[in-house]
Amino acid sequence: MADVQDVLIVGGGAAGYTAGIFAARDRCRALLLEKFSAGGQVLNCEHITNFPGFPQGVAGYTLGPLLQEQATAAGLQVAMNEVIAVRRDGDLLRVETDGDSHATRTLIVASGSRFATLGVPGEEEFVGRGISHCASCDGSFFMQKPVVVVGGGDAAVDEALHLTQYASSVTVLHRRDRLRACASLQERARSERKLSFRWNAALRAIEGADGVERVQVEDLATGKTATVPASGVFIYAGLTPNTEFLGGLVPLDARGQIVTDLRMRTRVPGVLAAGDVRAESARQLVTSAGDGATAALAAVQYLRDGRWPA
Ligand SMILES: Cc1cc2nc3c(=O)[nH]c(=O)nc-3n(C[C@H](O)[C@H](O)[C@H](O)COP(=O)(O)OP(=O)(O)OC[C@H]3O[C@@H](n4cnc5c(N)ncnc54)[C@H](O)[C@@H]3O)c2cc1C
């Protein structure tokens, strides 16, 4: 069949484009479908200092298009389409988009995840101007400034600890009266003098002018609202993997992330996952790129020998 892809990739982030580079270099017929714009979450990263090869750091809006440029130069086809469904079609997989339909021998799901939002005033307005989901990426922008962290799990507390290196104060806002984070993280957090907690605390609004200046916090026990000064707001209210279009095709873990083996293979022959969308991902650009490379190599091997782990 002339229109059958060897490798079809869903998602144009670091994972997807790296998978595309590797698949195309192996002379596979490879197509990447992206619903939004080249780069995925990298476009939210103002200044990336932990991606190898950029000793002075690199802006996300620079790196994103470079990923696409390198992949298309290698021979990857790219189409701007949202994938809305995937189903098995005999030996092939059928990928439906909002305007098209594609058949493929292997599928690499690299659709990333989105941060759960709080739905409070100011949350959309200050994205990139004080609101972040990545302390290791953005913490240094808040040197000697007060920040708040929203959440009470491992991610929130770990990131709050990381932020104490930079911020003048770190206030963790948590809706409950105790943390969900593991005991060792809690112990470290309690002994860190820059870090404090507001229990039964719900973020109600994020306010400022050019950037974030303060937040409004409701005490759920008393119903009273207080103003807390903050230049940065780090939100860890959960991640939502972008897997709805798979419609139950592959097993997911309890968080809805795609379960793979170490070579990025799901239990379904020909279907692989890479980057933030998969379980156990480190959720960094370089690890997502590494996942993409691993997935493409595993897909190529499957195309050659037809073997898939039981
Ligand atoms: C504010 C911020 C700062 C960060 N800073 C850093 C940093 O400094 N260093 C670092 O290493 N990491 C950083 N990260 C994390 C890093 O951006 C991610 O780990 C990485 O981008 C994930 O890559 P990915 O390819 O797995 O997914 P994504 O980048 O999320 O790409 C997935 C793509 O799939 C597309 N997609 C989703 N569903 C569909 C569909 N149905 N059809 C078609 N396309 C679809 C999306 O539009 C998206 O483009 C940061 C993250 C954020 C939010």
Side-chain angles (χ1 to χ4, degrees):
M1 270 194 278
D3 67 338
V4 175
Q5 302 296 328
D6 295 319
V7 181
L8 191 145
I9 301 157
V10 184
Y17 279 122
T18 308
I21 291 167
F22 276 72
R25 274 166 47 98
D26 242 312
R27 301 292 176 256
C28 289
R29 190 182 163 108
L31 171 68
L32 181 147
L33 300 175
E34 164 58 46
K35 69 174 176 181
F36 186 49
S37 59
Q41 286 241 23
V42 73
L43 298 176
N44 295 326
C45 312
E46 265 186 47
H47 188 64
I48 300 152
T49 53
N50 60 356
F51 197 79
F54 295 95
Q56 308 305 322
V58 60
Y61 59 78
T62 303
L63 186 57
L66 284 176
L67 293 170
Q68 176 167 317
E69 189 184 325
Q70 187 173 356
T72 52
L76 177 72
Q77 298 297 308
V78 176
M80 300 307 286
N81 276 131
E82 176 167 7
V83 174
I84 52 175
V86 180
R87 62 184 165 79
R88 180 130 324 264
D89 185 3
D91 289 342
L92 302 175
L93 293 145
R94 176 68 57 181
V95 178
E96 311 286 350
T97 73
D98 42 7
D100 224 333
S101 178
H102 304 271
T104 184
R105 294 186 172 87
T106 67
L107 175 75
I108 298 178
V109 181
S111 49
S113 57
R114 55 190 187 272
F115 285 101
T117 53
L118 300 170
V120 298
E123 193 175 11
E124 277 183 30
E125 187 186 341
F126 290 110
V127 166
R129 294 190 295 139
I131 296 182
S132 173
H133 303 277
C134 181
S136 54
C137 323
D138 299 328
S140 59
F141 297 120
F142 301 96
M143 201 64 80
Q144 296 309 316
K145 293 179 180 166
V147 301
V148 297
V149 171
V150 181
D154 283 352
V157 177
D158 207 15
E159 296 281 85
L161 282 163
H162 190 79
L163 285 165
T164 59
Q165 294 175 44
Y166 313 105
S168 56
S169 69
V170 180
T171 307
V172 176
L173 309 176
H174 187 35
R175 294 184 67 93
R176 299 167 193 230
D177 60 1
R178 71 192 70 175
L179 296 171
R180 280 180 287 108
C182 69
S184 58
L185 277 173
Q186 293 194 35
E187 284 162 16
R188 283 179 55 207
R190 292 208 168 94
S191 64
E192 172 52 60
R193 74 182 165 77
K194 279 195 196 171
L195 205 156
S196 63
F197 296 92
R198 272 182 176 255
W199 307 111
N200 306 306
L203 186 71
R204 292 300 184 214
I206 300 163
E207 298 171 348
D210 290 341
V212 173
E213 292 170 7
R214 62 195 165 272
V215 294
Q216 300 297 333
V217 181
E218 181 186 342
D219 183 327
L220 295 171
T222 64
K224 290 189 179 151
T225 297
T227 301
V228 176
S231 301
V233 180
F234 288 76
I235 302 173
Y236 303 99
L239 277 171
T240 307
N242 298 318
T243 56
E244 290 83 354
F245 61 90
L246 291 169
L249 179 74
V250 295
L252 307 176
D253 71 2
R255 294 178 176 174
Q257 300 159 326
I258 301 172
V259 178
T260 68
D261 65 10
L262 289 175
R263 301 191 60 205
M264 310 301 138
R265 297 174 296 198
T266 71
R267 285 212 209 117
V268 180
V271 182
L272 306 97
D276 280 13
V277 75
R278 75 169 185 94
E280 309 297 337
S281 165
R283 295 201 187 84
Q284 294 290 295
L285 286 161
V286 70
T287 58
S288 295
D291 280 6
T294 304
L297 292 171
V300 169
Q301 188 179 24
Y302 173 65
L303 289 166
R304 285 191 185 135
D305 67 18
R307 285 205 293 269
W308 200 261

